[in-house]
Amino acid sequence: PRPHPTIRVRPLTCSETRRGDQQVVHSLGDGAVHVSAARHDATFGFSAVFDAGASQEAVFEGSGMRQLVELAIDGFSCTVFAFGQTGSGKTYTLMGPFAQSETQPASPALLGLMQRSFTCLLEQSRSRGSDLALSASYLEIYNEQIRDLLSPGPPCALPLRWSKTRGFYVENQRSVEFESLEAIVSLLLQGSQRRRTSAHALNRHSSRSHALLTIHIGSRAAGACPSKQGTLCFVDLAGSERVKETGSSGELSMEANSINRSLLALGHCISLLAKPRGKRTHIPYRDSKLTRLLARSLGGSGITLMVACISPSSRCLSETLSTLHYASRARRVTTRP
Ligand code: ADP
Ligand code: MG
């Protein structure tokens, strides 16, 4: 199947409303999004569009996320990635607002795609008599370095290797078994907090790295086919706005360069994959760590759900258009799971 680019347009925030930003993005229904501003007037079509009124539950049910969880249980490599500029709602969509305030647990209605998927996965596991062996790993890619967010001690850089049987894999990454919702949610929190406290720039850091949480799903049932090993990977991509030159220097420009590099590499792979099969050239997964890690799900045998997050504000117009173009290209990619 194709990766399903899903668009989520967040509401205008209080501060955007206060300063009088115009809402320039509107959902027209049936997967159409309309962008209208002074010199722009464009309509894009997608498999699903969620606008400001859409609840977290509606996004979970309407994006195909539940089916993705079921396919992962059946042994497929499934990936959902959220992309868009900083502040467009990537983390909110994946995790809900809890990532922002650890002291106050979010109301269940606001839980994101991740927690909803965990619940669905554990329900399925229980109904199958707990014959699923579940474990999680959590990595971030920061300045083209892979860091383990679940390792004991400070996050350390891990090497990315390739083998014929496994494809690209991260050596020595920690994988933690879990059996309950509390356990996996606490791993997610632990890892996400380390992602932030490991940098000086605190909050800004979270959008300066790509974070990948992978759930490995094995079968414990007697006589189960050993090749039936599904994965469900959640990717919170770094903010795409740094794809442009920012003119910043030192550490920031290094960050910008590595974000540039991996998002451009991802875009490049996606646009090459979008060509008809006969006309496809070599896909340059090796151009960045991000594309190497996503190679399996993007290319051969994986199933990918893309959630493009968008701010409706007039001030974000050019980023919004570039996110929509990026997502449109991905619409044409097909894979063979
Ligand atoms: P990103 O991860 O893309 O940088 P965030 O997810 O942190 O962006 O969202 C930026 C702000 O907008 C946060 O304050 C978040 O709570 C709010 N927000 C994002 N999406 C929504 C939404 N669908 N409904 C309500 N508030 C949202
Ligand atoms: Mg974020």
Side-chain angles (χ1 to χ4, degrees):
R2 289 155 187 270
H4 310 286
T6 293
I7 305 295
R8 188 178 203 189
V9 189
R10 68 157 168 76
L12 280 170
T13 61
C14 297
S15 56
E16 286 170 341
T17 311
R18 232 179 291 126
R19 71 182 183 207
D21 290 12
Q22 296 298 306
Q23 169 142 2
V24 296
V25 184
H26 297 273
S27 157
L28 303 176
D30 280 336
V33 199
H34 186 233
V35 181
S36 60
R39 272 174 291 128
H40 295 273
D41 195 69
T43 305
F44 296 80
F46 295 97
S47 41
V49 176
F50 299 95
D51 61 15
S55 66
Q56 296 280 70
E57 186 189 4
V59 176
F60 180 76
E61 298 296 344
S63 62
M65 190 65 226
R66 185 183 287 282
Q67 289 90 310
L68 206 67
V69 174
E70 281 158 9
L71 286 164
I73 295 173
D74 288 337
F76 292 101
S77 307
C78 299
T79 305
V80 48
F81 63 92
F83 77 97
Q85 70 180 121
T86 298
S88 59
K90 299 180 293 294
T91 304
Y92 185 97
T93 297
L94 288 174
M95 304 188 205
F98 94 98
Q100 275 92 22
S101 77
E102 287 116 29
T103 45
Q104 278 175 309
S107 106
L110 298 182
L111 293 174
L113 290 179
M114 293 176 87
Q115 297 94 329
R116 287 170 200 273
S117 301
F118 301 158
T119 303
C120 174
L121 182 62
L122 287 156
E123 273 167 13
Q124 292 273 334
S125 174
R126 258 191 301 275
S127 74
R128 291 170 191 225
S130 294
D131 67 349
L132 299 180
L134 303 173
S135 62
S137 55
Y138 198 6
L139 306 167
E140 74 174 341
I141 307 176
Y142 179 71
N143 282 344
E144 280 298 285
Q145 277 200 342
I146 297 180
R147 303 202 289 190
D148 191 339
L149 295 172
L150 297 181
S151 66
C156 52
L158 295 179
L160 181 58
R161 309 239 184 254
W162 188 85
S163 84
K164 252 194 177 133
T165 47
R166 298 178 65 183
F168 293 107
Y169 67 96
V170 178
E171 195 171 66
N172 294 329
Q173 75 175 323
R174 184 157 179 241
S175 174
V176 182
E177 289 186 19
F178 64 91
E179 288 182 342
S180 71
L181 185 63
E182 294 70 39
I184 178 63
V185 167
S186 121
L187 288 173
L188 172 64
L189 266 172
Q190 255 175 46
S192 306
Q193 273 162 24
R194 294 181 76 192
R195 191 183 165 197
R196 277 196 281 165
T197 50
S198 58
H200 306 287
L202 289 172
N203 226 348
R204 293 189 52 196
H205 174 244
S206 64
S207 54
R208 307 287 73 181
S209 74
H210 309 294
L212 292 84
L213 180 110
T214 308
I215 310 282
H216 308 269
I217 307 164
S219 183
R220 274 201 272 252
C225 173
S227 65
K228 203 177 149 182
Q229 260 286 349
T231 53
L232 182 59
C233 181
F234 299 88
V235 188
D236 191 354
L237 289 173
S240 56
E241 69 286 353
R242 291 293 174 112
V243 167
K244 290 203 204 76
E245 253 340 296
T246 53
S248 51
S249 59
E251 196 185 349
L252 281 181
S253 101
M254 179 147 131
E255 275 181 2
N257 283 338
S258 38
I259 294 170
N260 266 349
R261 184 166 151 196
S262 50
L263 290 178
L264 286 175
L266 181 61
H268 192 200
C269 289
I270 287 176
S271 60
L272 289 175
L273 284 163
K275 292 190 176 168
R277 215 161 260 277
K279 294 195 177 154
R280 251 184 230 176
T281 46
H282 164 73
I283 312 289
Y285 295 115
R286 287 184 184 267
D287 284 1
S288 75
K289 298 221 163 126
L290 178 69
T291 43
R292 272 179 260 182
L293 282 175
L294 294 178
R296 196 176 325 152
S297 55
L298 284 176
S301 57
I303 304 162
T304 304
L305 170 67
M306 262 176 47
V307 186
C309 297
I310 281 172
S311 154
S313 159
S314 45
R315 296 218 187 181
C316 299
L317 182 65
S318 71
E319 287 302 333
T320 293
L321 287 169
S322 96
T323 302
L324 288 168
H325 284 297
Y326 198 100
S328 305
R329 251 181 307 168
R331 223 159 83 95
R332 296 190 292 270
V333 182
T334 50
T335 62
R336 268 188 212 151

